[in-house]
């Protein structure tokens, strides 16, 4: 399991972009980055609601 806040906002955005571009299914992309599929869903939801601010990680940026 990935440690909490292991990805910066920019990294999260890149991972979501890969998912959106068809770089694999939700499960495939989650496995590739050692994430749970629900984590990707949560990131996507937060990005849709709040844009970059929704995926920003204040402890790393």
């Amino acid at each position: 399991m990935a440690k909490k806040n292991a990805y910066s906002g920019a990294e999260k955005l890149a991972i979501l972009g890969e998912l959106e571009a068809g770089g694999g299914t939700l499960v495939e992309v989650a496995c590739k980055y050692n994430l749970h599929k629900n984590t990707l869903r949560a990131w996507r939801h937060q990005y849709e609601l709040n844009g970059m601010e929704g995926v920003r990680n204040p402890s790393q940026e």
Side-chain angles (χ1 to χ4, degrees), residues 16-37:
L16 290 173
E18 181 178 331
L19 179 63
E20 186 66 26
T25 66
L26 186 100
V27 173
E28 291 169 341
V29 174
C31 286
K32 179 179 178 180
Y33 293 100
N34 196 28
L35 297 166
H36 193 278
K37 63 183 179 179

Side-chain angles (χ1 to χ4, degrees), residues 6-54:
Y7 293 102
S8 70
E11 290 169 325
K12 291 175 185 178
L13 192 58
I15 293 168
L16 290 173
E18 181 178 331
L19 179 63
E20 186 66 26
T25 66
L26 186 100
V27 173
E28 291 169 341
V29 174
C31 286
K32 179 179 178 180
Y33 293 100
N34 196 28
L35 297 166
H36 193 278
K37 63 183 179 179
N38 290 342
T39 300
L40 282 182
R41 285 184 180 135
W43 288 358
R44 184 171 53 192
H45 180 72
Q46 286 302 314
Y47 182 72
E48 289 170 355
L49 289 177
N50 303 306
M52 185 61 184
E53 192 64 28

